[in-house]
Every structure is written in C-alpha cells, then in structure tokens.
Amino acid sequence: MAGDDDDDVFVVLKCIHLPIEDHEEEEEVMMISTTDVYTWNISSILQYKIIKVKAHRKRLIENSSYFNGLLGGNFSDPDAEVLVQWNQHTFLSLLASLFGSTLDVTSHNFLSIFEGSLYFGMEIILSQCKMWLTKALSATGVPLVQLSDLVSIWEFGSDLLDYLSELCSSYLAKNFIWALSCSSFGDVPHDLLLSAIKHPHLTVDSEKQLCDFLLAWIAANKERCTEGDCIILLKQIRTSLLPLWFAAGKNNNQSLTLCSNETSCGAFTLPKQPLTCLMDTQENVDLLNLKIRLTEFTQRVDLAGCPQITPAILLLSMLPSSLSMDPLMRKKIVQLLTNRESLSGNAFKISCEMWSKLTFEAVHEIDISNCPLLHLDAVVECFSKSFPSLRKLKAANHLIRFRTRKLLQLLVDKCPSLCDIDLSVDLSPVIITQMSSIASSFDSVSSPLPILWSKPLPSSITKLTLEGLIDVTDFDLRSISDICVSLTYISLKGCISVSDDGISSLIYRCLKLDSIVACDTYFGQQSVLALCSSLACVDHVTAEHCRQNIPPASSLQLLHMGGCKGVNMTSFFKLMSQAYMLKDLCLRDTEVVDDCLFNFFGSSLERLDVSNTKVSVAAVAHVIGQNPGLKCLKTRGCKNLLLQESYHESKNLYLMLGKLRKLDEISAGWGFSYLSLEDMKPAISLLKAIEVGLGGSLGHDGLKWLPVTCPLLESVVLYFQVISDDLIVNMLESLHHLKSFALCHCLGKTSSWSLNASMPNLRKLRLERVSPWMSNADLISLSHNCANLMELSLLGCRLLNSESQKIISSGWPGLISIHLEECGHVTSNGVEALFDCHALEDVLLRHNGSGIQKSFIGTAVTKLPMLRKLSLDICDAKDGDFDIPKPDDRHFLKLVKIARCKSQRCTLNLQHVGVSRSLRLKIRGLCKKYAACLEHGGGKLLFETKNLDRTASCGFER
C-alpha cells in the first residue's frame, strides 16, 4: 500500500519522443525534478533524447485521470519508472503547468497542448485551453489565431466537441474577409467553409466578394470536391444581391447559373420584375435571399453596381432574420416591401419606429454607387438610424434631387460622423475651351455670391468629391465652405459651372484645405492668389482661427489643375515657390514653363504630371533631383523633351529616374526610347503602369525586354509604336498581372495570331487601327482568351458585321463599356444582340452601318438599366435621325453624344429633349443656329462648337 505521507512519494517519468537503441540510453539521459520546475530551461533539456522526470505521485493522480488510473490504488513501487511516449516539449509544458509553472498558450501550440491534456486527462489544463480559445476566437480586431491553425483545430476537434466546432465556425465567419487574404484559404475544409457561410456572424463587404472567393476555392479544390459539394456552397450565395455586371459575367459558370435559376429571384429578375410584382406572383418568395448581409461585425457595405437594390430591400436587411420567419410579421414585411411609398423616406421613418434599435455600430463605410433606385435623400434616414458610426459614403453616379447645400445639410444633420463623401459623376470631363453654355437656368458663374440667411452648424466632413457635377455653382461652394469648416480635400474636376472667384472664396474660407482637385474648371488667377495669400480670413471665421501670415500654398499636399490655363506666369512662379509640401502635382495641359518648375523647392513629391506642357528636360530633372520619393511621372506630349541640344540632359534625366526608390507609373512620349528604359532599370522592377505616346519609341528590343524588367505591369498603353505578332504574344503571355492593354495607331505587321495568348486577368482591351484583319472568327477566339473583359474598344476593324454583336454579347455578357467605331457593318441591321449585355453603362457606336433604329435611345435605356453614357452618329441612323426620350423615360442615362461626320442639316427630333441635370446632350459639328431648338426645360445644356467636318467622305473622322 502507499505510505501515509503521499506528498513525499515520487515516481520517475521516463519521457521519450521516439524509440531509441539501448546502447545510447545512458549517455543521452537527462534527469530533472518537479520540485525545481521554476528553474527548468526546456530548450536546454530537449537537447537530450531521454528525459527522466522525478514527480510527486499524489499531484499526478489528482490532476490527471491517465496517471490516476496508472498510479492509483495499491501502487507502491517507488523505484518504478513510468514510460511516457509523447512529444517531449508538449509533455514537459503540461507537467510544468501541473506543478505551478505558467502555461503560455498560443495559436501555434494550442492544438498540441489541447491534444496532450485531453489524452492525459488533465481537466485543469483543458479548462485553461478552452478559456484561451474562447477568448482568442471571440476577440475583435486583428485575428489571434492563424487560419492554418484554425483548420488544424477544427479537423482535430469538430467531431469530438460541439463547442469547438461552433467556435471555429463563428471565428471564420466573422473574420471571413481576413481569411480570404490568407494563402491557406484553399485548404479550408468544405464542411468548415459551409458552416461559416451559413453562420449568422458571416461578415463580407458584398455578395460579390463572397461569390468571387467561393469560385476561387472551388477552382483550388476541384480534384477533392464533388460537383454536389460545389453546388451546395454556391447555393448559399444570394444571387439577387450580386452587381449586375458581375452576375452577367458569370453567366457562363454552369454551377452558378444553376443555383441562380433555383432561387426565387436573381440580379436580372429584380430590375425587370419589380419587387411588388414578385411578391404578388410568388407567395413563398425567399426573403432571406433579398437581405443584404449585415452583422454586428460588418464594417463596410458595398452595393455598387446593383440596380435591383431598392429602399425596401435596404430596410428589409436591417431587420433580424427571425422576424421574417413569423407568419404575421412576414405578412407585415411583405406589405411594406410592396408598398409604393417604400421608395420614399417616410417608409424608413415609420419602420424604424416599429423596429427600433436595429443598429450596426461597426459600419463605417457604405458604397451605393450606380444604384439608380436608391435615391440618396430617401435612404439618408435609414443610414442615420442603422449606421450611427458612418464615416464614409460613396454615392457616385446618383440622382440628386435637390441642391448641394440642402443635401449636405441633410447628411450633416442625419449622419454627424460623416467625414468622407463622394458624389462624383463618372463622366469624361467637359473641355471648357470646346464648349459654350446655353439654355441655363442656374446661377451664372460670374454672378455675385449670395448672402446666406443663417450660419449652419459645422460638420466633421473633411473630404468631399463632386467630380463631374456640372450643376455645382459658386452658390454651392459658398454653402460648402459654411458647412464643411474642417474640409481638407475637395475634388471639383469637371465642375465647369463654378468660377475662379467661387473657388478662390472657398480657399479663403476653408482654412484646413490641403488637397484641391480642380482639373478642367475655371481655376485660375484668383484661386492661385488665394493660395499664395496670407491675408486674414473673411466673414464667419473668428480672428483666433485665421491664418497668421501663413499662405495656404505652404500646407498644400495635393494640387491638380490640369487643363486650367487662366494663370499668368508670375503667379505660377509664386505658387510653385510656396507649395513646397506638395506630394501630388498635376499640371497637364497648362501653360507651365521651365521657370515654374525651377521655382519648386519641395522634396516630398510622389506624383508629377506635366503632360502636354512646354517644360524641358532640365526643368523636369530639377524636380526629380530634389524628390527621391517620386513614384509616378507623366510627361507624354512634352515636345521640348526632344530638343537636339538636350540629348545629354535627357539621358541624365532617365539615369536620375533609375536612382529613385521605386516607380509605380510612367507615362512618356517625346525623347523616350529603349535606352531610356535601360537607364531606369533599377527603379522599374515594381512598375505597375506604363504609357508610351507619340514621339517615344521603345523599338523591338524595348518591347521584348519590357516584360522581363517589369513583370508586375497591370496596365500597358502603346501609341504609334512599331509592333509585331511575336512582341504582342510575348507581352501577353509574360505579364500575368495585366488588367488593361491598349494598342493605338501602332505600326508593323500583325495578324490574328497576336491575340491568341490566354489573358484571364485582362479587364480592359483597346485596339485602335491595329487590327483591320479582325474577323468574326478572330472575335470568337478573342472572347475565349480574354473571357473576363469588362471594357472593349475596337476602332477600324472593317471586316466585322452584324453577327459580331452576338459574338460580343455571348462572349462577354458582363461588359460595362463597349466602343465600336468604323467596324464594318456591325450596325447595318440594327442593334439588338448588344442588349444581352445587360450591365452596359457606356456605349459608343459610330460609323458601323446605317441601320440603327430611330427609337434606339429609348429602347436602350429600357433594356439596359445601368446605361449612363451613349454616343452615336447621324450617319448610322436608319431613318436619318434619333428620337430623344422624354425626361421621365431616361432612367439612369446622363450623357448623350450625337455626332455627324459631315455638314448636313440637323434632323434630330428634339421635341422632348427637356434638358435636365441628369442628361447632357452634346451635338458635334451642328450649326449653332440649331442650338435654339434645344432650349426646352430648366436645366443646362452644353453645346460643343468643335468642328469635325474635316473630310469629304461621309462616315470617317480624321
């Protein structure tokens, strides 16, 4: 029997990792005792193959069911050794913990400790492991358990312990976005992935994001996963919430199409069949499939490109899923969703009274760009109730139904945490020098600033993007300066209705402004003087907050004034000398000269754009020499870079570029050659984008060498380069990250073989006058090699015909932009097949055959819910003109360009033009006398005076 004083009874535990030979035993033994556990140096101890531990028998029995069964009862041999074959490091850690040492559990050692404590029946340590894992898998912020470790834990314990399976599923669900970025995501077991997707904590930015990575997981596991397993996964995707362009692009995925057809509604169903009709015709419609995924961990909501999303669907997403299961509550929800008033802000007010506290505190960013049914003023009420921490709102290409001041004030009142607002319109900016404004009912740009009736409460808005909004006026800028007193960034690119006085007033009043994007506006002399002025502030700003002799230019970090030519050189010099903190400077298409750049003494510049200016090599070299952190340089169109006397300076320029840290983007032309590229070699190994224009010549060697030196290129644009099939194929096959590729007016002999390379990552392809040989067969081959294109532009492909439309729509159903010009007879029999590209936003059809129906514009806006930009030519009209839809029938359409190839009488049916803020109509080459007929309605119409009648033959623009 055991002695009375069990505390003094020891046993020897002989711990070996693997069986060893007997003759090695004596020289490889290490003896330690649990009485000295605090002095153990496990790293040193593990150098021995055999470790003998003298341990208290009673403590082992009390804390381990394994040793209790082995040493309990009548065990009394003090000299006996107990053989333990287990991982030595793990066993010593467990033993040290039992005898008082601290156990350090981490993501990497959890499984070994948990498995060991489970085997030896050490309940105390098992409890510690469970507590640690529960805390680690419940933590928010940076994940504490690596994905590979999580997979190992789940594979070991999911069948043994239910709580372990639930913890792993919940952890993966709420950290799903992080998991997607891990290289081991493809190793996640099917069952774990499925349980995470079904988990109520699943957190993703959008349904597109979930779909993308599920398809990637399936591709990585196609040999291990059955088709049934894949379909089960894909059925979890709420296809009704996919962006239209994305859903269209996945039409060729059979498994995803099958899942979409089995659901009650999809991304294509809702735009064609309103929710009201859907509820009426399908009594058992799955409300869950309409709910945007929102959890307490959601930080970002991305609904961009979803024309099917309505305020009613947004409201449904705020409600707990349990509500839709209750029959009575379901009936109320259906009534609300089918109520016409649900499109107004009142629906949100009433509903939020019914279901209060449905908030998502973690949401700080929302993107509702290109969601035509989500009128911003109508959903603000919803945002204010459900997203109290909202800081960033992106609502590009939205229909804004009232003035900027009222909208800003509404956003400030309802969403006080907002600091970043993007209301831009994604349209090519109107070039002021080619436009004259007529039929305007807005404030004139030269009118004096109005006196405001009251001073609004200041907001937290620091960043405001209004790019492309041509109806923003000086009055609006005044409102912005009143409301956004903390403004640091503003983009007014293409806002041609604001004057130089208006912009300068904004600069005077917004004291914290350090980033200004004013390309293609009237930004000019007054604005530059405001930036260089150290005068005290005006109007509502108190004296203690005024600048103390510090000009705004000295704190500028970003200044874009491309296309702005109203600045004299004296002011330019002063601005450059004061703006020494600049990191991003765009001076493209301005009157900037060498002395201006020589006056720039900043050393923090990262991006410089002097395209189409008169600067020389010496001036550009001066800036480069002072700014070693330069990442982007654009000099395309600078003819002075090729002056004969500056040859050596030009070489030095590119040698200086080669000494920079790393360049991301380069755009060059005159004077740029293969030798220039060689000189830059040390700095372009990480180059992402390159553009070579007129006057630059990379030659055969340069184009062949480019993929080797710059393997990470994502964008390649080449103008007027000498190319060949082998060069193109080499580039396309070697550049695995290429997303955008353009060949424009290039020389050399090419054939269909040049586009036979597989380009699965390519999203944008532009071929302008380089592929006259392209036939329908070539187009089919191209659609197979570039299956994921989103933007396609073809110019001069004269062998194409009306059948090409079907090839394009079937090969690239997810296109958002299609430009076809001088492409044979593509439109000779009308335009019908292109309507199968449901997500088209930008369509240009010019000189492709005179078969386009008179009613084409109205038909297009009906069948293409995302259509925003449309460009046509009179010579392609079957009946000689086009009908312009009434304002209420234009849907999402904002810009129509109707050109003509030669002088002819204007026969457009402008009866219903009714110009409004949502539509800009530009008619190229028409006589001004016809402009008067456009003056219908209270909007602003821009008439382009550029004369395109430069050729005697109809149908071609030179």
Side-chain angles (χ1 to χ4, degrees):
M1 293 180 64
D4 294 333
D5 192 359
D6 288 340
D7 287 339
D8 293 333
V9 177
F10 288 86
V11 292
V12 176
L13 307 178
K14 182 180 179 182
C15 183
I16 62 173
H17 184 54
L18 293 172
I20 59 174
E21 297 180 9
D22 294 338
H23 70 276
E24 295 179 351
E25 185 172 340
E26 292 184 2
E27 54 184 335
E28 295 294 336
V29 175
M30 174 66 173
M31 178 67 75
I32 57 176
S33 173
T34 56
T35 57
D36 304 322
V37 68
Y38 295 106
T39 63
W40 285 6
N41 186 330
I42 294 182
S43 298
S44 299
I45 296 172
L46 290 176
Q47 294 178 7
Y48 295 85
K49 295 183 178 180
I50 299 178
I51 302 167
K52 292 185 178 181
V53 186
K54 190 176 180 181
H56 290 85
R57 172 177 169 272
K58 182 179 179 181
R59 184 74 66 87
L60 288 174
I61 292 173
E62 289 176 345
N63 293 285
S64 168
S65 59
Y66 175 88
F67 288 111
N68 181 39
L70 194 63
L71 304 176
N74 297 325
F75 183 87
S76 60
D77 187 355
D79 298 323
E81 290 183 348
V82 178
L83 181 63
V84 178
Q85 286 186 280
W86 201 260
N87 179 279
Q88 291 174 323
H89 188 281
T90 300
F91 182 71
L92 290 179
S93 299
L94 293 172
L95 209 57
S97 179
L98 287 184
F99 286 89
S101 182
T102 302
L103 182 63
D104 184 21
V105 183
T106 66
S107 172
H108 298 298
N109 69 12
F110 168 83
L111 186 57
S112 61
I113 292 176
F114 182 80
E115 186 179 6
S117 58
L118 191 63
Y119 179 83
F120 291 106
M122 299 176 178
E123 292 295 335
I124 294 177
I125 300 180
L126 278 174
S127 179
Q128 292 180 31
C129 287
K130 182 178 180 180
M131 289 176 60
W132 180 89
L133 187 64
T134 302
K135 184 177 180 180
L137 296 186
S138 301
T140 57
V142 180
L144 300 179
V145 178
Q146 297 303 308
L147 184 59
S148 56
D149 297 326
L150 182 77
V151 170
S152 299
I153 293 170
W154 188 86
E155 288 180 332
F156 171 78
S158 59
D159 294 332
L160 298 175
L161 302 166
D162 291 340
Y163 79 86
L164 204 59
S165 177
E166 166 59 22
L167 281 174
C168 290
S169 299
S170 174
Y171 181 79
L172 180 57
K174 69 184 180 183
N175 293 291
F176 205 78
I177 298 176
W178 159 79
L180 300 178
S181 65
C182 297
S183 58
S184 57
F185 179 74
D187 299 328
V188 176
H190 174 273
D191 291 346
L192 174 58
L193 184 60
L194 181 61
S195 64
I197 297 172
K198 289 184 173 182
H199 201 281
H201 286 166
L202 178 65
T203 303
V204 290
D205 292 345
S206 66
E207 209 67 20
K208 169 192 170 296
Q209 188 180 46
L210 176 63
C211 183
D212 258 337
F213 283 96
L214 284 185
L215 292 174
W217 185 93
I218 289 172
N221 290 272
K222 57 185 177 182
E223 296 182 358
R224 294 181 293 171
C225 220
T226 66
E227 184 178 358
D229 290 337
C230 296
I231 290 178
I232 289 174
L233 281 176
L234 294 176
K235 279 185 177 180
Q236 308 308 311
I237 298 171
R238 300 175 185 178
T239 55
S240 58
L241 301 177
L242 292 172
L244 194 58
W245 64 267
F246 182 84
K250 298 302 179 184
N251 264 354
N252 296 331
N253 187 298
Q254 295 180 353
S255 299
L256 191 59
T257 303
L258 174 64
C259 297
S260 178
N261 292 336
E262 290 182 357
T263 57
S264 57
C265 55
F268 299 109
T269 306
L270 286 174
K272 298 177 182 178
Q273 187 176 22
L275 195 57
T276 304
C277 301
L278 194 65
M279 293 294 187
D280 292 340
T281 57
Q282 300 184 28
E283 182 179 349
N284 296 320
V285 64
D286 185 6
L287 293 181
L288 183 64
N289 195 49
L290 297 172
K291 283 173 63 69
I292 301 163
R293 297 184 191 269
L294 288 170
T295 74
E296 60 181 294
F297 307 103
T298 301
Q299 296 184 4
R300 186 172 182 269
V301 180
D302 183 3
L303 301 176
C306 295
Q308 69 274 26
I309 301 296
T310 65
I313 292 177
L314 193 61
L315 175 61
L316 173 65
S317 304
M318 308 301 165
L319 306 177
S321 299
S322 57
L323 287 179
S324 60
M325 303 300 292
D326 179 73
L328 293 178
M329 190 59 67
R330 177 185 170 86
K331 185 177 181 180
K332 290 182 180 180
I333 294 173
V334 171
Q335 289 176 348
L336 178 64
L337 293 177
T338 56
N339 189 345
R340 292 180 181 274
E341 293 184 0
S342 64
L343 293 178
S344 68
N346 292 330
F348 291 117
K349 185 175 181 180
I350 295 172
S351 303
C352 287
E353 290 174 356
M354 293 171 60
W355 296 292
S356 60
K357 300 181 180 179
L358 299 176
T359 60
F360 301 89
E361 295 280 352
V363 174
H364 65 263
E365 181 179 347
I366 294 178
D367 189 347
I368 55 172
S369 300
N370 293 349
C371 295
L373 297 182
L374 285 182
H375 294 282
L376 190 57
D377 47 315
V379 298
V380 167
E381 186 75 30
C382 175
F383 294 164
S384 67
K385 299 290 185 183
S386 297
F387 309 127
S389 303
L390 187 63
R391 298 196 298 274
K392 184 175 182 179
L393 172 62
K394 187 172 184 180
N397 301 312
H398 258 263
L399 299 176
I400 300 174
R401 299 189 290 189
F402 42 69
R403 296 298 298 266
T404 305
R405 178 188 178 89
K406 185 177 179 182
L407 176 61
L408 284 176
Q409 196 63 60
L410 177 66
L411 290 171
V412 169
D413 292 342
K414 297 294 184 180
C415 306
S417 298
L418 265 181
C419 57
D420 186 345
I421 301 175
D422 184 350
L423 303 176
S424 60
V425 177
D426 182 23
L427 298 175
S428 301
V430 180
I431 308 303
I432 298 172
T433 56
Q434 297 177 1
M435 308 298 296
S436 59
S437 180
I438 64 171
S440 173
S441 66
F442 298 140
D443 304 32
S444 170
V445 294
S446 59
S447 60
L449 293 174
I451 299 175
L452 301 179
W453 51 90
S454 63
K455 174 185 171 182
L457 292 174
S459 72
S460 58
I461 297 173
T462 58
K463 185 174 182 180
L464 184 61
T465 304
L466 304 174
E467 182 174 324
L469 295 179
I470 63 169
D471 54 348
V472 172
T473 66
D474 288 354
F475 177 87
D476 297 308
L477 294 189
R478 179 70 178 234
S479 301
I480 290 169
S481 63
D482 279 336
I483 297 171
C484 309
V485 296
S486 300
L487 198 65
T488 60
Y489 173 102
I490 189 166
S491 176
L492 299 171
K493 182 179 179 181
C495 296
I496 61 170
S497 296
V498 296
S499 69
D500 190 19
D501 287 340
I503 299 174
S504 63
S505 177
L506 179 76
I507 295 171
Y508 274 122
R509 295 159 63 86
C510 293
L511 306 183
K512 299 180 181 179
L513 201 60
D514 60 22
S515 299
I516 302 173
V517 179
C519 297
D520 305 306
T521 67
Y522 288 102
F523 180 95
Q525 189 70 16
Q526 297 301 317
S527 299
V528 172
L529 291 177
L531 287 173
C532 298
S533 173
S534 57
L535 297 177
C537 309
V538 296
D539 295 350
H540 62 292
V541 184
T542 57
E544 60 268 24
H545 292 101
C546 292
R547 302 186 183 97
Q548 298 297 326
N549 298 319
I550 301 176
S554 63
S555 60
L556 267 183
Q557 296 189 27
L558 181 150
L559 177 61
H560 286 194
M561 48 182 293
C564 302
K565 300 185 178 183
V567 183
N568 64 43
M569 290 305 101
T570 303
S571 300
F572 231 141
F573 299 158
K574 189 173 183 181
L575 175 62
M576 289 295 97
S577 65
Q578 292 185 359
Y580 50 82
M581 296 294 290
L582 277 172
K583 294 182 178 180
D584 191 338
L585 177 61
C586 174
L587 300 173
R588 64 158 178 85
D589 297 295
T590 64
E591 302 298 330
V592 63
V593 294
D594 282 1
D595 288 345
C596 298
L597 291 189
F598 280 124
N599 265 28
F600 179 71
F601 299 105
S603 59
S604 304
L605 203 62
E606 296 178 0
R607 303 180 65 85
L608 175 65
D609 185 353
V610 288
S611 306
N612 299 314
T613 63
K614 298 178 181 179
V615 297
S616 69
V617 170
V620 176
H622 165 77
V623 176
I624 294 173
Q626 294 187 154
N627 294 271
L630 197 69
K631 297 179 180 179
C632 171
L633 178 64
K634 297 184 178 182
T635 60
R636 182 185 163 205
C638 296
K639 295 183 179 180
N640 287 352
L641 297 183
L642 193 60
L643 295 178
Q644 186 68 31
E645 59 271 18
S646 64
Y647 172 77
H648 295 293
E649 290 181 342
S650 179
K651 183 173 180 61
N652 290 335
L653 170 67
Y654 295 110
L655 285 173
M656 292 173 65
L657 283 172
K659 296 178 181 179
L660 297 179
R661 296 171 186 171
K662 295 296 175 184
L663 280 170
D664 289 337
E665 185 176 356
I666 185 80
S667 174
W670 298 97
F672 190 75
S673 66
Y674 167 50
L675 296 177
S676 307
L677 208 58
E678 273 197 326
D679 292 337
M680 294 165 58
K681 184 177 180 180
I684 59 176
S685 60
L686 300 179
L687 197 69
K688 297 293 180 64
I690 186 169
E691 180 182 41
V692 182
L694 183 64
S697 178
L698 290 181
H700 183 277
D701 291 339
L703 290 174
K704 185 176 181 179
W705 182 69
L706 187 64
V708 178
T709 310
C710 312
L712 301 180
L713 277 172
E714 297 178 2
S715 175
V716 175
V717 181
L718 302 176
Y719 294 87
F720 302 102
Q721 300 299 298
V722 179
I723 58 172
S724 60
D725 283 346
D726 60 324
L727 289 174
I728 297 174
V729 171
N730 177 55
M731 256 190 293
L732 297 180
E733 288 182 343
S734 304
L735 297 174
H736 303 295
H737 301 277
L738 195 64
K739 296 179 181 178
S740 178
F741 185 59
L743 297 176
C744 306
H745 306 274
C746 290
L747 309 175
K749 188 175 181 180
T750 62
S751 67
S752 58
W753 181 67
S754 63
L755 297 177
N756 276 340
S758 177
M759 296 167 278
N761 293 322
L762 199 67
R763 297 295 183 268
K764 300 179 182 180
L765 178 62
R766 183 153 56 108
L767 302 175
E768 297 184 357
R769 300 200 186 282
V770 293
S771 51
W773 39 259
M774 182 175 287
S775 64
N776 284 344
D778 298 325
L779 202 58
I780 293 173
S781 176
L782 186 64
S783 69
H784 293 157
N785 294 326
C786 312
N788 297 311
L789 277 187
M790 293 176 62
E791 299 183 24
L792 175 65
S793 179
L794 300 177
L795 171 60
C797 301
R798 301 179 184 275
L799 300 182
L800 300 183
N801 55 38
S802 57
E803 291 299 311
S804 304
Q805 289 186 46
K806 297 179 181 179
I807 297 172
I808 291 171
S809 60
S810 60
W812 298 290
L815 281 178
I816 63 172
S817 175
I818 178 73
H819 286 196
L820 300 175
E821 187 168 3
E822 296 182 25
C823 288
H825 304 285
V826 170
T827 60
S828 292
N829 295 327
V831 179
E832 189 63 35
L834 285 182
F835 291 146
D836 291 334
C837 296
H838 302 282
L840 278 173
E841 301 176 17
D842 178 10
V843 176
L844 183 148
L845 300 172
R846 298 191 64 209
H847 308 312
N848 302 307
S850 55
I852 302 180
Q853 302 87 341
K854 186 175 183 180
S855 60
F856 172 73
I857 299 176
T859 306
V861 297
T862 302
K863 294 190 175 184
L864 303 175
M866 301 297 290
L867 186 63
R868 293 183 291 105
K869 295 188 285 185
L870 182 60
S871 299
L872 302 171
D873 198 289
I874 293 294
C875 71
D876 291 330
K878 182 177 181 180
D879 299 318
D881 66 351
F882 297 103
D883 289 334
I884 306 298
K886 296 180 180 179
D888 292 340
D889 297 330
R890 291 175 193 153
H891 298 268
F892 206 31
L893 188 63
K894 290 185 175 69
L895 173 64
V896 174
K897 295 181 183 178
I898 299 179
R900 66 172 190 172
C901 53
K902 68 176 185 179
S903 299
Q904 59 185 17
R905 182 177 179 180
C906 175
T907 58
L908 284 177
N909 182 358
L910 299 167
Q911 180 180 358
H912 302 300
V913 72
V915 183
S916 67
R917 296 183 187 180
S918 62
L919 175 67
R920 283 190 287 167
L921 178 63
K922 295 199 292 183
I923 304 180
R924 295 185 176 183
L926 299 182
C927 299
K928 285 188 177 181
K929 66 180 180 181
Y930 294 108
C933 69
L934 301 178
E935 193 168 352
H936 296 278
K940 170 166 289 189
L941 179 68
L942 298 174
F943 178 78
E944 185 166 334
T945 59
K946 180 180 179 182
N947 182 19
L948 300 182
D949 185 17
R950 299 180 183 178
T951 175
S953 59
C954 176
F956 303 101
E957 176 187 332
R958 301 295 184 188

